[in-house]
Amino acid sequence: MLSHPRVYNFGWTSSGIIVPAVLSNSVCRLVVLISGRGSNMQSIVNTVRDHSLPAEICAVIANKTEAGGLQWARDRGLATHAVAHRDYATRVEFDTALAAVIDDYQPDYVLLAGFMRVLTPGFVEHFNGRLINIHPSLLPAFPGLHTHQQALAMGVQWHGCTVHFVTPVLDHGPIIAQGIVPVISDDTPETLAGRVLQVEHKLYANVVRWLAEGLVSLNSMQRVQVLGIASRSFVLTPNGVQPYQR
Ligand code: GRF
């Protein structure tokens, strides 16, 4: 079932975002979770504002009081919260407190953007079908941490990132979109991470647009469908991040 059903035509902006011209009547409520600098969160906020998406960033929440992205969000007038995981004895206690703060905003989607906590099954179940994550690898390859080191160690020639719905299995769940970058012979984990991050920002920006426009649905086979979007794959080219064109 599509959330926010609407009528669509499609175009393409100079900044690389697929844009449907829509008739819309509701606003998609978003809460973004971060743990650090929040560059993906910033890309999401800027995309919503620069393209006047029918979406609202209700709050930015971090599990660390020192997360750099919180001040960036505050400086732009966004509601922010720090629910410090160190203040809780167990994961369940932390997740319960975090869920309570999120629920106050009644979001349509909760976006994990560089949020580095493994969430409990209870939390994932509570936000089932509304919880989305970005992972810096081409899932199902290289789940977990140190994905760029893993990629270099395996000698893969293409690497990338994935935006997916979250399930209780870590870095698993229905894939919404993926982006790829070439691996260069003298790459280090840092240079590879920098290249992947470029694609992450565009990938998450496009997914947020699709969510805001109510285009995204999960079918009975737990496969993602995005109305009117044939290709959900993006490529880093010398001309920037481009959607794959048939
Ligand atoms: C990103 O590479 C993200 O995929 C990973 O952590 C990094 C966080 O970056 N989970 P930022 O905080 O969004 O800048």
Side-chain angles (χ1 to χ4, degrees), residues 116 135-137 142-153 159 171 189:
M116 305 305 283
H135 181 74
S137 84
F142 313 130
L145 296 175
H146 315 306
T147 60
H148 310 303
Q149 284 92 327
Q150 292 186 59
L152 291 173
H159 183 42
D171 298 330

Side-chain angles (χ1 to χ4, degrees), residues 16 24 32 37 46 84 126 136 162 170 197 216 228 245:
S24 70
V32 186
R37 66 184 171 204
N46 290 337
H126 180 72
T162 304
L170 181 66
L197 201 60
V216 180
Q245 306 267 358

Side-chain angles (χ1 to χ4, degrees), residues 5-131:
R6 301 183 181 119
V7 180
Y8 303 96
N9 295 315
F10 289 88
W12 178 251
T13 73
S14 58
S15 61
I17 301 279
I18 299 174
V19 289
V22 297
L23 299 175
S24 70
N25 54 14
S26 66
V27 168
C28 181
R29 298 175 59 78
L30 304 172
V31 165
V32 186
L33 304 192
I34 65 172
S35 291
R37 66 184 171 204
S39 70
N40 276 292
M41 175 272 295
Q42 297 175 26
S43 165
I44 291 166
V45 171
N46 290 337
T47 299
V48 168
R49 292 185 169 180
D50 296 352
H51 296 275
S52 310
L53 296 185
E56 179 189 351
I57 309 289
C58 302
V60 174
I61 306 174
N63 63 300
K64 294 178 179 174
T65 50
E66 69 275 19
L70 288 177
Q71 190 55 52
W72 185 94
R74 271 187 222 115
D75 293 346
R76 284 151 187 80
L78 293 168
T80 63
H81 301 266
V83 183
H85 66 273
R86 296 190 196 96
D87 294 349
Y88 299 85
T90 68
R91 283 183 179 279
V92 171
E93 285 173 42
F94 166 69
D95 283 10
T96 305
L98 178 62
V101 173
I102 296 170
D103 281 343
D104 284 346
Y105 293 97
Q106 291 296 301
D108 294 294
Y109 294 102
V110 178
L111 307 177
L112 309 182
F115 184 73
M116 305 305 283
R117 293 288 296 175
V118 177
L119 295 160
T120 56
F123 182 99
V124 174
E125 191 48 47
H126 180 72
F127 293 103
N128 185 32
R130 296 189 284 154
L131 194 55

